[in-house]
Amino acid sequence: MKNFFIAILLMIANLSYAQNFKYAFVTDTHVGTATGEEDLRRTVADINAQKDIDFVLVTGDITEMGTNEELKLAKEILSSLNKKFYVIPGNHDTGWSESGGVSFIKEFGYDKFTFDHNGFRFIACASGPYVRMSDGHIPRDATVWMDSVLNKTPKSMPIVYINHYPLDNSLDNWYEATDRLKKKNIQYAICGHGHQNKAYNFEGIEGTMGRSNLRAKDSIGGYNIVTMNKDTVYFATKKPTEQIQQAWRKIALKTFVNDGKNYERPDFFINQKYNSVKPVWTYHSNANVVNTPAYTDNLVIFGNSIGLIEALNRSTGKPVWTYKTQGAIYSSPLIAWNKLVIFGSGDGNIYALNVKDGKLVWKTAAGKSVLGSPVIQGDVIFIGASDNTFKALHVKTGKLKWQFNEVEGTIVGKPVIQDNKIIFGSWGRHLYALDIYQGTLLWKWNNGSANRMFSPAMATPVISNGIVFIAAPDRFLTAIDINTGETLWRNNQARVRESIGLSTDGALVYGKTMQDEIVAYKTSRTDEGLAWKYNAGYGYEHTPSDLIEKNGKLFFGTKNGTVYCINPKENKTLWAHKIDNSMVNTFKVIDDKTLVVSTMDGKVTLLKANY
């Protein structure tokens, strides 16, 4: 009984501290857009003119494209605040980032934070997607960190949670946050992303989305001032130089009580429906895995978003060795000559490690982060970096053979080699074809859009009959003459986005549409329309994932963590298996029964089918 009264007194004490302060809630500043810089400078000046604001929270999409220049400018503007500020990245800061999020952390010192103020604990996590299109995702390393923070947080201590996204299924792992927070004294959550003031309730957790700081169609931008009183929090819009508006949202501050209701959670029923495929093992890394694992007879090797290369025993999934770089790894490792594992890192280096023990063999510096994946021909490795260059390096030494210096934008994808040409895309609108021996430009192609977000950066090309096929985010399947770079045809009948593959015989290009259907086109020089389409029933889909055919079976992954295997000739699903609820990256098909798969949430799985 004595302990009970002590707990009550502590709870009352916490709530008594948690009163009578204000903070500024700024979000979606999008520095890099036409008015982003000016709108943010006005807001900073307006906040500085107020004496009763204790601190500033900035909840993501600080920049438009996550470039180093945009991040530096945003940091310079925010640093002129005369109050403490805290900032997290949003999807615009990471999804097209030239550094894979490394530069954000370098500029601001973190991508998640926690602090206490007047008895409240504020907890903020980053959110993706990272480098490519996908749903929002609280990074695996952030949930691991969040566990450590919450374990140290008294159950009665009031919490405010901050994320760029709402705590709903716009985050593929929203439940990882809500399930944790509902065990504590969560008071409310705030977010951005939607560019409007909006009230939410997240499974009993009160939530508030803030308006964008951009002026949009108005003459001036704006933000929110949050007033914390003894028992109520108020949200009110403030436009620079104008009077604060009436509070548009208020939330009662009280001890959180879990309502005990059952809420939506990911459905794994598909694993029961298709029980002929099972995981041999699953390994959960402590950070996101947004690259394709490599494998040998003995090992599975991959990198994660905190810069760690991990090697697992292929039979058991147990760790064998690790190697730490100083930046996130989004480059898919390549195993050369069965002796070296080669990859790029967000720290600006290309690495070659000994496959057996993970010891460094050589390291070659680039001017910026290396997010692209390598390919090999003979004794030469080819890889693109974020310093506007594409490099050819000697496998044995890492020494430069040639370098092409005229790439517009960041290279994040994987090149393809054919007919003495190496072909790759970038976040700079163009697809490039270089001479593989000299590195000279043979041609470059773009879809005519000035918008970088339609670039063929994550569109891995496939080649057949002298034709290069890509599907950029503009949702066209495009056929390009490999010798001239001339557009042969473009078809958006199926609205394929970034996900294509080639049949084993080269006769068909497969595509994954944005809603349920796998389609096929003939690899001809004229547009013959759809050869066939099959409703695989995977739902809405927008993530890049190559389609891979092996022995008459076609494999692909989805944004909700499911791998499918279909018979393309019979238009029949053979099996499907859900690993988790985050994006399946392109995987390796070992044989038509065995795959090694990674997901954004850091799960690496060896799947085995029993036909």
Side-chain angles (χ1 to χ4, degrees), residues 167 178 181-182 184-189 200-207 249 251-252 254-261 263 265:
L167 281 177
T178 55
L181 293 169
K182 286 192 290 185
K184 297 291 184 176
N185 191 20
I186 178 68
Q187 298 297 293
Y188 62 90
Y200 281 93
N201 185 285
F202 306 122
E203 302 181 6
I205 300 171
E206 295 293 342
R249 167 81 159 137
I251 301 170
K254 57 187 178 182
T255 301
F256 179 78
V257 177
N258 191 337
D259 61 19
K261 294 180 181 178
Y263 290 95
R265 290 294 180 267

Side-chain angles (χ1 to χ4, degrees), residues 421-462:
K421 300 174 181 65
I422 187 157
I423 299 169
F424 60 93
S426 77
W427 280 122
R429 301 180 300 125
H430 290 94
L431 188 75
Y432 296 85
L434 307 181
D435 178 274
I436 199 168
Y437 300 111
Q438 305 298 325
T440 52
L441 179 66
L442 300 174
W443 52 260
K444 64 181 181 178
W445 175 94
N446 72 67
N447 56 21
S449 174
N451 189 336
R452 287 178 292 176
M453 295 180 189
F454 292 139
S455 300
M458 281 309 303
T460 304
V462 299

Side-chain angles (χ1 to χ4, degrees), residues 7 22 52 71 102 181 307 328 352 378 400 432 507 540 566 580 583:
K22 294 181 180 180
D52 57 349
L71 287 167
V102 172
L181 293 169
L400 185 68
Y432 296 85
Y540 175 69
I566 70 171
D580 63 25
M583 178 183 75

Side-chain angles (χ1 to χ4, degrees), residues 97-255:
S97 167
E98 65 182 272
S99 68
V102 172
S103 293
F104 188 98
I105 296 172
K106 284 183 178 178
E107 288 295 337
F108 295 101
Y110 53 83
D111 63 355
K112 48 191 172 290
F113 63 80
T114 185
F115 68 93
D116 296 345
H117 189 80
N118 281 26
F120 274 86
R121 178 154 292 175
F122 290 78
I123 302 173
C125 289
S127 54
Y130 284 75
V131 180
R132 62 207 70 196
M133 182 67 177
S134 184
D135 288 339
H137 181 82
I138 301 170
R140 166 70 175 159
D141 68 287
T143 57
V144 172
W145 168 85
M146 190 176 174
D147 281 337
S148 68
V149 172
L150 290 175
N151 286 340
K152 298 173 185 175
T153 301
K155 191 168 184 178
S156 62
M157 188 173 194
I159 293 170
V160 176
Y161 182 74
I162 303 112
N163 197 273
H164 178 63
Y165 283 83
L167 281 177
D168 58 20
N169 60 13
S170 57
L171 284 166
D172 60 30
N173 61 341
W174 79 95
Y175 51 91
E176 300 221 47
T178 55
D179 287 354
R180 288 164 167 81
L181 293 169
K182 286 192 290 185
K183 295 176 182 177
K184 297 291 184 176
N185 191 20
I186 178 68
Q187 298 297 293
Y188 62 90
I190 63 172
C191 65
H193 191 61
H195 288 222
Q196 60 180 318
N197 288 332
K198 186 176 179 180
Y200 281 93
N201 185 285
F202 306 122
E203 302 181 6
I205 300 171
E206 295 293 342
T208 303
M209 176 184 284
R211 59 154 292 166
S212 168
N213 191 66
L214 294 173
R215 69 188 71 173
K217 296 180 181 179
D218 203 349
S219 60
I220 195 168
Y223 59 102
N224 276 277
I225 290 180
V226 184
T227 302
M228 303 282 286
N229 288 340
K230 182 177 181 179
D231 57 7
T232 309
V233 55
Y234 298 90
F235 293 81
T237 298
K238 178 73 168 70
K239 296 183 177 180
T241 73
E242 295 183 5
Q243 291 293 316
I244 189 171
Q245 298 176 11
Q246 288 277 356
W248 63 271
R249 167 81 159 137
K250 67 177 182 179
I251 301 170
L253 300 174
K254 57 187 178 182
T255 301

Side-chain angles (χ1 to χ4, degrees), residues 218-413:
D218 203 349
S219 60
I220 195 168
Y223 59 102
N224 276 277
I225 290 180
V226 184
T227 302
M228 303 282 286
N229 288 340
K230 182 177 181 179
D231 57 7
T232 309
V233 55
Y234 298 90
F235 293 81
T237 298
K238 178 73 168 70
K239 296 183 177 180
T241 73
E242 295 183 5
Q243 291 293 316
I244 189 171
Q245 298 176 11
Q246 288 277 356
W248 63 271
R249 167 81 159 137
K250 67 177 182 179
I251 301 170
L253 300 174
K254 57 187 178 182
T255 301
F256 179 78
V257 177
N258 191 337
D259 61 19
K261 294 180 181 178
N262 291 323
Y263 290 95
E264 175 193 3
R265 290 294 180 267
D267 181 1
F268 285 77
F269 174 75
I270 200 167
N271 293 351
Q272 299 175 37
K273 181 179 179 181
Y274 298 103
N275 58 14
S276 62
V277 60
K278 304 283 187 184
V280 177
W281 52 257
T282 297
Y283 174 83
H284 206 174
S285 181
N286 280 337
N288 287 7
V289 177
V290 192
N291 53 69
T292 307
Y295 68 90
T296 68
D297 289 342
N298 302 315
L299 298 174
V300 170
I301 303 171
F302 57 91
N304 71 21
S305 60
I306 57 173
L308 195 67
I309 282 281
E310 300 183 77
L312 310 178
N313 181 288
R314 181 170 146 179
S315 298
T316 66
K318 301 296 184 183
V320 175
W321 56 257
T322 63
Y323 182 89
K324 187 73 168 68
T325 75
Q326 300 305 305
I329 299 171
Y330 296 101
S331 174
S332 298
L334 179 146
I335 295 173
W337 304 343
N338 289 325
K339 294 181 178 179
L340 300 177
V341 55
I342 299 174
F343 60 94
S345 170
D347 66 11
N349 291 292
I350 302 153
Y351 290 84
L353 310 180
N354 186 295
V355 167
K356 290 183 179 180
D357 56 17
K359 298 290 178 63
L360 181 67
V361 176
W362 55 257
K363 181 172 72 171
T364 297
K368 290 183 179 179
S369 296
V370 186
L371 309 179
S373 298
V375 294
I376 187 171
Q377 180 166 289
D379 61 354
V380 181
I381 286 285
F382 304 90
I383 191 167
S386 294
D387 58 355
N388 308 112
T389 68
F390 189 86
K391 304 175 189 298
L393 306 175
H394 291 282
V395 172
K396 189 175 181 179
T397 63
K399 291 184 177 179
L400 185 68
K401 181 179 180 182
W402 55 254
Q403 178 170 284
F404 177 73
N405 300 310
E406 300 171 20
V407 179
E408 179 188 5
T410 303
I411 301 169
V412 295

Side-chain angles (χ1 to χ4, degrees), residues 343-583:
F343 60 94
S345 170
D347 66 11
N349 291 292
I350 302 153
Y351 290 84
L353 310 180
N354 186 295
V355 167
K356 290 183 179 180
D357 56 17
K359 298 290 178 63
L360 181 67
V361 176
W362 55 257
K363 181 172 72 171
T364 297
K368 290 183 179 179
S369 296
V370 186
L371 309 179
S373 298
V375 294
I376 187 171
Q377 180 166 289
D379 61 354
V380 181
I381 286 285
F382 304 90
I383 191 167
S386 294
D387 58 355
N388 308 112
T389 68
F390 189 86
K391 304 175 189 298
L393 306 175
H394 291 282
V395 172
K396 189 175 181 179
T397 63
K399 291 184 177 179
L400 185 68
K401 181 179 180 182
W402 55 254
Q403 178 170 284
F404 177 73
N405 300 310
E406 300 171 20
V407 179
E408 179 188 5
T410 303
I411 301 169
V412 295
K414 182 178 179 179
V416 63
I417 297 172
Q418 183 77 31
D419 297 344
N420 298 325
K421 300 174 181 65
I422 187 157
I423 299 169
F424 60 93
S426 77
W427 280 122
R429 301 180 300 125
H430 290 94
L431 188 75
Y432 296 85
L434 307 181
D435 178 274
I436 199 168
Y437 300 111
Q438 305 298 325
T440 52
L441 179 66
L442 300 174
W443 52 260
K444 64 181 181 178
W445 175 94
N446 72 67
N447 56 21
S449 174
N451 189 336
R452 287 178 292 176
M453 295 180 189
F454 292 139
S455 300
M458 281 309 303
T460 304
V462 299
I463 301 173
S464 182
N465 299 326
I467 306 167
V468 180
F469 296 92
I470 63 164
D474 62 358
R475 305 173 194 179
F476 280 80
L477 180 68
T478 302
I480 303 164
D481 186 285
I482 193 171
N483 293 312
T484 65
E486 173 192 358
T487 301
L488 299 175
W489 53 267
R490 283 163 57 76
N491 184 302
N492 71 341
Q493 183 180 355
R495 298 176 71 78
V496 174
R497 180 188 177 122
E498 296 180 310
S499 297
I500 61 173
L502 193 65
S503 63
T504 305
D505 61 8
L508 294 173
V509 173
Y510 300 123
K512 181 179 65 172
T513 74
M514 294 183 68
Q515 188 68 50
D516 286 321
E517 291 183 333
I518 300 300
V519 297
Y521 294 82
K522 292 183 179 179
T523 54
S524 60
R525 296 184 68 84
T526 57
D527 183 2
E528 298 185 29
L530 288 174
W532 54 257
K533 61 182 179 180
Y534 168 61
N535 190 328
Y538 49 74
Y540 175 69
E541 180 63 31
H542 57 215
T543 59
S545 177
D546 296 350
L547 287 79
I548 302 170
E549 186 176 30
K550 188 86 168 181
N551 294 340
K553 299 177 180 67
L554 183 62
F555 303 89
F556 62 92
T558 70
K559 73 181 184 67
N560 65 358
T562 305
V563 180
Y564 284 79
C565 173
I566 70 171
N567 183 321
K569 290 186 177 180
E570 296 180 4
N571 284 353
K572 176 183 177 182
T573 299
L574 300 176
W575 57 258
H577 186 83
K578 186 175 177 66
I579 298 169
D580 63 25
N581 205 50
S582 67
M583 178 183 75

